[in-house]
Amino acid sequence: AVVSTQSGYYGRGGVTLEGAGQGIKVLFTPDFKRLGDPTVWVDAAGQIFYSLSVGFGALILFGSYNNVKNNCSRDAMIIALVNCGTSVFAGIVVYSVLGFREHKTGVKVENVEGGPGLAFIAYTTAVAEMPLPQLWAAAFFFMMVLLAIDSEFGTIEATIGPLRDYEFFRRIKKELLCLIVCVFLCVLGLPMSLEGGLYIFTLWDTFSVALPLVFIGIIECVAVSWFYGLDRFCGDIEHMTGGQPHIYWRICWKFVSPILITVVLIASLVKMLIKAPMYPAFVGCEKFPVSDQFAGSENWVEKVPYPDWSRFIASIMVALPIIPIPVMAIKNWKKPVRPIVHPDEA
């Protein structure tokens, strides 16, 4: 509620700033040339996977707490519509402020890079130009902290849920297990707060999320539609909701989604093999560059190719979430497929 209220204030204040219209115009003006870049599609797929928690296991875990007769189809539609509506609203808030930043500093909205540079460089520069900048800056970073904590709820729960399937972890109180997992992840994240932490964060954010999630999404579609059986899956949904899914969803689950996602994934991998992936390096402004290695930039960042050693680490980061899937599939290949809904639960 606090995040929604602050976003509302930002939205109301942002759209009334000078130059806000230019930023909103950029947001809703498509650049069709970018559609030929597979990286754009992978980033878009990774973003929607991340915002909807698809592939993380959080939705499956939370859904398991529902009554077996819960209308999961209705819940799925509500979540998707509210999520996408919130994303559009947040986009308007951000781009209206970036339009104001262009009006004040002359830095084009189109040249603003995403990622941490958007939150900690571009957006904060715009906030500094607003009336009562100290108030808006404090509210902005307070909102960022709340968003980070809120995002961790589903992630931590999705981590702890599978762990508690093992007898050893069931002996530990859930609260204590949460504390252990959070402290462990906090220690893993400490290198990202060091001098080269932004580089580690960018490497992690680029390769450990989008590609593995897209691959997991493909596997989920294929496993449910082709191995478990689409008819059996639709029968489970009918048992829970009282009605069969529309033919549109069946075609998407079995053919459209796995084919499109596979094409995007292969095209992205091919591009990475042909051309070295780039990352936005912070180089400072033109008057005060951060080092002699790079000249400053109007946008304070410059695209730099990842070195060979980091690409090797990136390949490991991509492979680690994926390798267990074929290993467990081979291990359990001959086991019979157990129905999701049991007759005794009816």
Side-chain angles (χ1 to χ4, degrees):
V2 176
V3 174
S4 300
T5 302
Q6 289 194 3
S7 298
Y9 279 121
Y10 264 107
R12 186 176 65 178
V15 296
T16 60
L17 295 171
E18 293 181 280
Q22 175 61 25
I24 297 174
K25 179 181 178 181
V26 172
L27 172 63
F28 289 104
T29 303
D31 183 1
F32 292 104
K33 295 179 181 178
R34 299 292 305 278
L35 296 180
D37 185 358
T39 306
V40 173
W41 290 93
V42 171
D43 290 342
Q47 175 59 33
I48 201 67
F49 274 49
Y50 183 80
S51 61
L52 286 173
S53 293
V54 177
F56 286 94
L59 289 179
I60 298 174
L61 183 69
F62 288 137
S64 68
Y65 299 146
N66 286 328
N67 186 281
V68 71
K69 293 294 186 179
N70 179 67
N71 193 334
C72 57
S73 299
R74 178 201 59 203
D75 292 349
M77 292 297 297
I78 292 174
I79 290 172
L81 292 174
V82 171
N83 173 78
C84 294
T86 304
S87 298
V88 173
F89 171 71
I92 293 174
V93 173
V94 171
Y95 273 81
S96 62
V97 176
L98 293 180
F100 170 73
R101 177 177 182 254
E102 177 181 337
H103 176 76
K104 285 289 186 179
T105 65
V107 178
K108 295 291 184 181
V109 178
E110 298 91 332
N111 297 333
V112 175
E113 294 286 344
L118 175 62
F120 297 107
I121 300 176
Y123 207 81
T124 49
T125 304
V127 169
E129 299 288 342
M130 296 172 66
L132 294 175
Q134 296 84 358
L135 173 64
W136 290 109
F140 173 73
F141 284 106
F142 180 60
M143 181 179 68
M144 292 285 287
V145 171
L146 293 180
L147 284 172
I149 295 174
D150 180 64
S151 299
E152 289 303 309
F153 289 152
T155 304
I156 297 299
E157 191 70 23
T159 304
I160 293 173
L163 289 178
R164 289 180 63 81
D165 289 339
Y166 294 93
E167 181 64 28
F168 173 79
F169 291 103
R170 279 201 295 268
R171 299 172 187 169
I172 306 175
K173 281 189 175 183
K174 187 176 181 181
E175 294 81 2
L176 179 59
L177 183 59
C178 286
L179 177 62
I180 294 172
V181 171
C182 289
V183 171
F184 176 73
L185 294 178
C186 179
V187 172
L188 286 182
L190 287 179
M192 298 184 188
S193 63
L194 302 178
E195 184 175 353
L198 186 59
Y199 185 89
I200 300 173
F201 172 83
T202 304
L203 183 68
W204 187 276
D205 183 60
T206 302
F207 295 102
S208 70
V209 180
L211 290 175
L213 278 182
V214 170
F215 181 82
I216 292 171
I218 296 171
I219 296 300
E220 287 183 347
C221 287
V222 173
V224 171
S225 300
W226 293 92
F227 289 91
Y228 181 76
L230 186 59
D231 292 337
R232 181 184 291 176
F233 181 64
C234 292
D236 294 335
I237 295 178
E238 184 179 16
H239 174 79
M240 291 184 283
T241 65
Q244 286 267 346
H246 193 272
I247 186 65
Y248 168 79
W249 299 115
R250 300 188 192 184
I251 294 174
C252 286
W253 291 335
K254 194 162 188 175
F255 301 105
V256 178
S257 295
I259 291 174
L260 288 180
I261 299 175
T262 301
V263 170
V264 169
L265 179 62
I266 294 175
S268 178
L269 293 175
V270 170
K271 182 183 177 182
M272 288 184 180
L273 292 174
I274 296 175
K275 184 180 179 181
M278 314 277 282
Y279 73 96
F282 178 69
V283 295
C285 62
E286 294 176 340
K287 291 184 178 180
F288 304 101
V290 296
S291 70
D292 297 333
Q293 186 177 359
F294 299 104
S297 170
E298 181 185 13
N299 306 320
W300 295 16
V301 293
E302 184 177 324
K303 289 283 188 177
V304 180
Y306 282 102
D308 294 336
W309 65 267
S310 63
R311 292 202 292 271
F312 174 74
I313 295 176
S315 62
I316 296 176
M317 294 169 63
V318 172
L320 282 178
I322 295 174
I323 290 176
I325 297 176
V327 170
M328 297 303 295
I330 295 172
K331 179 181 177 181
N332 299 288
W333 182 261
K334 294 184 179 181
K335 290 185 179 180
V337 178
R338 182 169 59 89
I340 296 176
V341 178
H342 299 281
D344 58 349
E345 295 177 334

